[in-house]
Amino acid sequence: MSAGGDERRVQEAVRRRARTSAFAEAEDVFSAVLADSGVREARVEAAETELGMELCGHLQAFQDRYDQAVAEGDADGLAGLCAGKHGRWGRVCVLPVGHETSMEEPHWGRTSEGRPIAWVGSAPDDW
């Protein structure tokens, strides 16, 4: 084989090795970033916001009833609501008790900023 052919094979091997190393390093960086709790929280919040927006048209009437019950001080109207909440984030589920099985819907309401949000699970007010 000629010296030029050997040199090209070596250069190509070096490029492959550099590319493989770069991909492995990028994968390590991505894994570290995705393992960060702040990144996970941001991804979960983005998914909850997206689902909240998707369900908004379907569930807005429940938000309207909740808003009316709060404005009128209607304890009976509020008593039939789901207890699901995330107090830390200012979320209160506006759907009726049992919605997770009867309607097969996640918790749904608005964030403290007024954006529609959907979530699974609940947390105490002081969490």
Side-chain angles (χ1 to χ4, degrees):
M1 185 157 280
S2 70
D6 288 342
E7 187 175 326
R8 263 183 283 169
R9 278 197 346 257
V10 169
Q11 287 175 347
E12 186 56 35
V14 168
R15 274 190 286 249
R16 278 194 310 270
R17 174 74 173 128
R19 190 171 41 244
T20 300
S21 293
F23 286 143
E25 184 178 341
E27 188 173 308
D28 289 344
V29 169
F30 290 143
S31 294
V33 168
L34 293 176
D36 179 81
S37 62
V39 172
R40 278 196 312 272
E41 282 183 26
R43 292 179 77 199
V44 167
E45 186 171 347
E48 290 174 339
T49 299
E50 183 178 337
L51 181 56
M53 291 297 292
E54 288 175 14
L55 294 172
C56 189
H58 175 64
L59 300 176
Q60 182 59 45
F62 293 99
Q63 181 70 49
D64 296 342
R65 280 186 227 147
Y66 171 82
D67 291 342
Q68 183 175 356
V70 168
E72 295 174 356
D74 180 3
D76 291 335
L78 295 172
L81 295 179
C82 174
K85 60 188 172 205
H86 271 181
R88 177 179 177 188
W89 295 283
R91 301 176 185 176
V92 174
C93 183
V94 299
L95 300 180
V97 171
H99 66 87
E100 292 169 297
T101 53
S102 65
M103 296 171 61
E104 297 183 353
E105 297 287 2
H107 296 295
W108 188 86
R110 297 218 174 249
T111 65
S112 56
E113 296 86 24
R115 291 187 328 263
I117 191 112
W119 71 97
V120 176
S122 203
D125 285 332
D126 60 351
W127 185 68

